[in-house]
Amino acid sequence: MILLVTGGAGYIGSHTLIELYRAGHTAVVVDNLSNSNPESLRRVAKIIGVTEIPFYKTDIRDREGLEKVFSKHHPDACIHFAGLKAVGESVEKPWEYYENNISGTLVLVDVMRRHGCKNIIFSSSATVYGDPAEIPITEQCPKGQCTNPYGWTKSMLEQILTDIQKADPAWNVVLLRYFNPVGAHPGGTIGENPNGIPNNLMPYITQVAVGKHPELGIFGNDYPTPDGTGVRDYIHVVDLAAGHVSALQAIRRRCGLAVYNLGTGHGYSVLDIVNAFQRVNGVQIPYTIRPRRPGDIATCYSNPAKAQKELGWKARYGIDDMVRDSWNWQRHNPDGYPEE
């Protein structure tokens, strides 16, 4: 299949490109590079052994730019990663999140249908469950009151795509609800490369380890969890990438609307991750306890059985792999990708 990958130069997108090509697919990347670097695509091309991956520096809100891409490449389906994604930042900048994530997706979907491309795999999030009604979380768990604008954009876009598919059954919509992606390609040449101060736990840990920050701030140690710190379902980014390839099976069988959790089914606390990083990599991570952040919840981890049953997908990497590969990427690329 020919896949349009929006946000393909980003963290999850770049790793997914590798898995797509290894499975025999080809891809066209659209990315505005607001939180990514084209060097990732050059490195992906080297890993998979192609000269280059077709790339367009185009914003998903740019209708004319998307029209040109569709007219030239005629993709069979779209894997839609592009969007702003930091929980804390979304609380501070709600307008920017709603405008970018929702308006951009509406433009993308309109261009898709005009070109007869009615297959989409949407990068959603476990944040749509809000403070979940059940743990572990199955796909039958009701969507909750999201605790931040980022989560609301994902929840709203799920509803929009669901309504579009209901109105036009020719659409195949796969909603992938990610848990917490971490890690990097085992080769250490591509990985998470956030702009500025990281908003997520693992890149902050690795930047402390490489000396970019003096210590890690842990937000809250009084949650009702075994050690008081927040518990999350961390999933290796290579496993997550493979989940998108598996999701193409649902597109092929004309699934209509399908929803899958992509997680490991195991919950690890912040201190579990810190301790594993220190143990596996032999690097100490100084930290201080700070007040809870607005929008954070105590515990969130998945039951991924549906994806295994229907797609044959299961996470293969454990916590030791996650912290090892994260550090392997960071120590070989202490400043991330070079500036263009």
Side-chain angles (χ1 to χ4, degrees):
M1 295 176 73
I2 302 172
L3 285 308
L4 174 70
V5 182
T6 70
Y11 175 44
I12 303 171
S14 59
H15 287 82
T16 299
L17 290 171
I18 295 171
E19 302 305 312
L20 287 171
Y21 273 82
R22 285 180 172 168
H25 304 289
T26 58
V28 180
V29 172
V30 165
D31 198 308
N32 69 359
L33 303 181
S34 66
N35 193 33
S36 58
N37 189 305
E39 175 63 20
S40 68
L41 297 178
R42 290 189 281 269
R43 295 186 183 188
V44 165
K46 188 173 182 179
I47 291 168
I48 61 179
V50 300
T51 304
E52 65 178 1
I53 296 167
F55 165 64
Y56 296 86
K57 185 180 178 182
T58 302
D59 193 290
I60 56 171
R61 294 166 293 183
D62 177 5
R63 180 181 296 272
E64 184 179 346
L66 290 178
E67 289 278 1
K68 291 178 180 178
V69 173
F70 274 86
S71 296
K72 182 174 181 179
H73 294 279
H74 310 289
D76 302 302
C78 174
I79 301 180
H80 181 28
F81 294 111
L84 300 175
K85 62 175 186 175
V87 168
E89 183 183 62
S90 77
V91 176
E92 299 169 1
K93 299 179 178 180
W95 184 89
E96 286 81 357
Y97 272 68
Y98 289 120
E99 197 275 335
N100 182 87
N101 293 6
I102 293 177
S103 298
T105 301
L106 288 172
V107 172
L108 171 67
V109 168
D110 190 34
V111 174
M112 287 177 66
R113 66 181 181 176
R114 289 173 181 274
H115 287 264
C117 177
K118 295 185 177 182
N119 300 308
I120 187 167
I121 296 174
F122 177 59
S123 167
S124 191
S125 168
T127 59
V128 302
Y129 295 113
D131 197 345
E134 61 185 30
I135 298 289
I137 302 168
T138 69
E139 291 83 355
Q140 284 68 48
C141 178
K143 288 170 67 173
Q145 289 292 310
C146 294
T147 54
N148 54 75
Y150 163 73
W152 278 119
T153 68
K154 294 297 187 183
S155 184
M156 291 174 183
L157 285 169
E158 282 198 1
Q159 188 62 53
I160 289 167
L161 292 170
T162 298
D163 290 343
I164 288 170
Q165 195 283 325
K166 184 178 180 180
D168 180 359
W171 277 91
N172 296 294
V173 173
V174 182
L175 307 177
L176 297 183
R177 294 173 178 167
Y178 307 164
F179 283 71
N180 293 68
V182 296
H185 186 267
T189 58
I190 65 168
E192 192 165 8
N193 183 47
N195 289 334
I197 298 174
N199 290 295
N200 297 323
L201 175 64
M202 189 65 81
Y204 207 106
I205 289 175
T206 61
Q207 289 192 10
V208 170
V210 85
K212 296 189 102 175
H213 306 291
E215 63 184 14
L216 170 71
I218 295 178
F219 298 100
N221 67 342
D222 57 350
Y223 287 105
T225 62
D227 62 23
T229 64
V231 170
R232 298 291 183 269
D233 188 338
Y234 294 93
I235 176 173
H236 198 293
V237 67
V238 174
D239 279 331
L240 184 60
H244 292 78
V245 179
S246 296
L248 290 172
Q249 296 175 43
I251 298 287
R252 287 195 199 94
R253 67 168 182 263
R254 303 202 57 77
C255 61
L257 175 70
V259 182
Y260 299 101
N261 288 335
L262 293 186
T264 66
H266 300 286
Y268 295 104
S269 74
V270 175
L271 287 177
D272 286 336
I273 297 294
V274 171
N275 292 333
F277 189 94
Q278 294 180 141
R279 173 177 53 80
V280 171
N281 298 315
V283 180
Q284 291 301 302
I285 304 297
Y287 63 84
T288 57
I289 304 298
R290 300 177 186 175
R292 294 186 185 188
R293 292 183 300 191
D296 280 349
I297 60 175
T299 301
C300 182
Y301 63 92
S302 71
N303 178 340
K306 184 183 178 185
Q308 182 174 2
K309 179 182 178 182
E310 296 187 9
L311 303 177
W313 175 89
K314 184 179 180 181
R316 297 178 297 134
Y317 295 98
I319 188 172
D320 286 6
D321 303 303
M322 299 177 204
V323 297
R324 182 195 63 239
D325 292 342
S326 294
W327 179 229
N328 188 41
W329 149 255
Q330 190 74 74
R331 68 190 178 92
H332 286 107
N333 302 270
D335 296 314
Y337 297 116
E339 293 296 324
E340 288 290 297

